[in-house]
Amino acid sequence: STDSVTWTETTLPSSANWYSVTYGNGMFVAIAYGSNKAAYSTDSVTWTETTLPSSANWYSVTYGNGMFVAIAYGSNKAAYSTDSVTWTETTLPSSANWNSITYGNGMFVAVADSSNKAAYAAV
């Protein structure tokens, strides 16, 4: 949607539990829960599938400081990409139900539900 009122349906490259989408550096990126699937698009109409480093409950993705970062629910897994195509796995400080990540003020910040856990990475 260009106005948040009128929406047009499009198709992602495969069937999956697509959970989160973000935009940065001219690219839309979507991640899927319970798999290693990700997808990217320059126009939000035509999508290309790529893979995350491992299968996980990928839950949230954001963009900041020249990179995309995704977190997984129910684990300590995170992944990052500078081009939205090739992803590298990294780890959060502990296993938790990580459910949201954002970027601001020079930091990526993630929070987990059902706990008092938060994590940050300065870049």
Side-chain angles (χ1 to χ4, degrees):
S1 174
T2 57
D3 61 7
S4 74
V5 175
T6 304
W7 292 81
T8 303
E9 188 172 314
T10 188
T11 304
L12 288 156
S14 65
S15 182
N17 290 322
W18 297 100
Y19 247 67
S20 184
V21 65
T22 194
Y23 178 83
N25 198 30
M27 195 74 64
F28 293 93
V29 171
I31 57 170
Y33 187 86
S35 76
N36 66 341
K37 293 181 180 184
Y40 60 90
S41 173
T42 58
D43 62 7
S44 77
V45 176
T46 303
W47 291 84
T48 302
E49 189 167 316
T50 189
T51 56
L52 292 158
S54 63
S55 186
N57 294 327
W58 298 104
Y59 207 86
S60 184
V61 64
T62 195
Y63 178 84
N65 199 41
M67 69 177 65
F68 296 93
V69 178
I71 55 172
Y73 190 86
S75 76
N76 67 341
K77 291 183 179 185
Y80 62 90
S81 173
T82 57
D83 63 4
S84 74
V85 178
T86 304
W87 291 81
T88 302
E89 192 164 309
T90 188
T91 57
L92 293 159
S94 63
S95 187
N97 291 334
W98 300 104
N99 65 5
S100 186
I101 187 167
T102 194
Y103 176 82
N105 201 28
M107 286 192 222
F108 289 94
V109 178
V111 294
D113 70 359
S114 303
S115 72
N116 62 344
K117 292 184 181 182
Y120 67 91
V123 291

